[in-house]
Amino acid sequence: LARRNVEMQARLIDDLLDLTRVSTGKLQLNIETLDVHPVLDDVVDICQQEIDAKGIQIEKRLDAVDHSVQGDPVRLRQVFWNLVKNAVKFTPEAGRITIRTWNQPADVLDSGGPAARDRGRTLMVQVQDTGVGIKPEVLPRIFNAFEQGGDQVTRQFGGLGLGLAISRALAVMHGATLTADSEGAGRGAAFTLELRTVPPEVATERPTRRHVALAPAQQPMRILVVDDHADTARVLNLLLSRMGHQVRTAGSVAAAAAAMSAGRFDLLISDIGLPDGSGLDVMREARTRGLVNGIALSGYGMAQDIQRSREAGFAAHLTKPIDLAELRRAISQIGGTPPQP
Ligand code: ADP
């Protein structure tokens, strides 16, 4: 169990670093021409033990005729691995997972025309399962960082809700799209990646390095994070530290007050619901000490809540699950640096 915990921690940190790299534009892709089918075989091999342990049936229907794409083999494998791992995790014993590939004209509007073939085709890769499914109200948020489809899912399955956020970001960097479908709770789920194919014979001579949108460094700040949810505090700490900020965390109104008397901060990021009071109290206390910049985090973003947090002095109010891009934008605005695209 101890080793498993260490592995999980390591995995968590990898995910956080990836997410930070993606969100700060510092992730590099090593693009080459690669065949997707062997990558899928590989990913199934990696998960085979867990698949067998749960008595899950796995079916591969790799029907695509064109299955070469331009991509980063390590990163595409990571995306497929996330999808298959999730399918295994969220499918009960004796369920079924189907992995399909097929081709489609790149632009559906062009289909049928004699030149459609020449305009290139699309490789669709789908991982479908018969598992717990996704509620329609959760589906649109499923790719947000920290989204886990509700507290119950988190308690039952663990994890942090980063895999899909990273996978979608990686897909976007490949000019691909990643979408989720589910007919609802208990009805299974399907994740589909759509990639542009290239003819296998036109392999690139050497891999081209593509540096994706290097973001300017952000003004480093001293940030106090107040959240009683230990995972959230730890994640924010790691992410903000990786962005170059100095971070302290506190889990209550009292701990926040103690931190503020012990040191100086440029920015407060506080949860509203705290065990011994409210984030609004923390912001009021901060202002009396000259700390005027605050970002509120809360599970509810009702007009009334936002109004109250504004009155307490928060410059921004973000609702959980936290959208990383939004958080970064809010911090940039406060730090006086322009938000990154
Ligand atoms: P994690 O698995 O760590 O929670 P992910 O970002 O991989 O994070 O997934 C986010 C959430 O999406 C999961 O917590 C779960 O609610 C939902 N989800 C992902 N894959 C599936 C699936 N195959 N079936 C049902 N729900 C899924």
Side-chain angles (χ1 to χ4, degrees):
L1 188 71
R3 210 189 92 220
R4 200 167 152 70
N5 275 336
V6 171
E7 274 168 17
M8 277 178 61
Q9 291 282 349
R11 169 94 217 133
L12 197 76
I13 294 185
D14 278 353
D15 281 353
L16 287 169
L17 294 185
D18 276 351
L19 195 64
T20 312
R21 281 186 207 111
V22 169
S23 68
T24 56
K26 286 188 181 137
L27 189 95
Q28 272 198 350
L29 293 184
N30 296 313
I31 301 289
E32 54 188 78
T33 299
L34 70 115
D35 183 350
V36 168
H37 283 179
V39 182
L40 293 171
D41 291 332
D42 218 40
V43 165
V44 171
D45 280 349
I46 301 172
C47 299
Q48 194 67 52
Q49 230 183 339
E50 283 165 85
I51 292 170
D52 292 343
K54 287 182 88 173
I56 290 173
Q57 265 184 44
I58 187 142
E59 189 183 350
K60 275 187 273 184
R61 286 204 220 151
L62 309 187
D63 295 331
V65 178
D66 294 341
H67 37 88
S68 288
V69 302
Q70 291 263 298
D72 182 324
V74 174
R75 295 303 182 175
L76 281 182
R77 189 178 132 124
Q78 183 179 357
V79 173
F80 297 135
W81 188 42
N82 270 329
L83 299 182
V84 175
K85 222 172 25 167
N86 276 345
V88 176
K89 180 168 159 186
F90 294 106
T91 299
E93 309 243 327
R96 202 172 61 246
I97 296 173
T98 312
I99 301 177
R100 289 189 187 84
T101 67
W102 70 94
N103 292 120
Q104 207 161 272
D107 184 348
V108 177
L109 291 175
D110 284 343
S111 67
R117 181 85 194 19
D118 300 333
R119 277 196 280 271
R121 297 215 283 175
T122 293
L123 172 66
M124 313 293 285
V125 182
Q126 186 178 67
V127 180
Q128 188 183 28
D129 64 58
T130 59
V132 299
I134 303 162
K135 293 194 205 126
E137 64 268 27
V138 176
L139 206 49
R141 304 197 308 259
I142 207 80
F143 293 100
N144 291 354
F146 310 111
E147 175 60 45
Q148 298 201 284
D151 286 349
Q152 231 182 336
V153 172
T154 313
R155 269 198 299 276
Q156 195 179 347
F157 298 98
L160 254 191
L162 294 176
L164 287 181
I166 294 167
S167 298
R168 169 160 284 175
L170 290 173
V172 168
M173 286 176 73
H174 279 86
T177 56
L178 177 62
T179 51
D181 284 297
S182 173
E183 297 194 339
R187 313 278 300 268
F191 289 82
T192 311
L193 185 72
E194 181 178 338
L195 288 150
R196 180 61 76 101
T197 60
V198 292
E201 59 276 10
V202 193
T204 38
E205 285 123 44
R206 62 191 140 84
T208 40
R209 262 177 185 276
R210 188 163 59 165
H211 205 113
V212 182
L214 185 68
Q218 158 119 50
Q219 195 74 27
M221 282 191 278
R222 294 164 298 183
I223 303 179
L224 176 61
V225 171
V226 187
D227 199 313
D228 61 320
H229 192 263
D231 269 349
T232 308
R234 196 165 55 226
V235 166
L236 283 172
N237 185 354
L238 273 160
L239 287 173
L240 295 167
S241 303
R242 294 293 303 186
M243 291 177 191
H245 303 296
Q246 270 177 46
V247 185
R248 286 271 169 286
T249 60
S252 63
V253 176
M260 287 189 285
S261 21
R264 293 187 64 78
F265 297 95
D266 308 305
L267 171 64
L268 168 73
I269 299 181
S270 181
D271 191 16
I272 294 298
L274 293 168
D276 57 342
S278 153
L280 304 176
D281 302 329
V282 180
M283 187 71 236
R284 289 189 200 104
E285 170 79 26
R287 290 173 69 87
T288 67
R289 296 169 187 270
L291 168 53
V292 296
N293 295 319
I295 297 174
L297 306 176
S298 80
Y300 355 86
M302 316 270 277
Q304 203 186 11
D305 302 315
I306 296 173
Q307 178 64 26
R308 274 206 218 109
S309 70
R310 286 228 183 284
E311 279 163 15
F314 283 108
H317 184 117
L318 305 183
T319 45
K320 291 180 177 180
I322 305 157
D323 180 313
L324 210 63
E326 238 178 87
L327 177 64
R328 228 161 34 95
R329 211 173 306 128
I331 294 174
S332 304
Q333 273 160 10
I334 285 165
T337 47
Q340 280 116 39

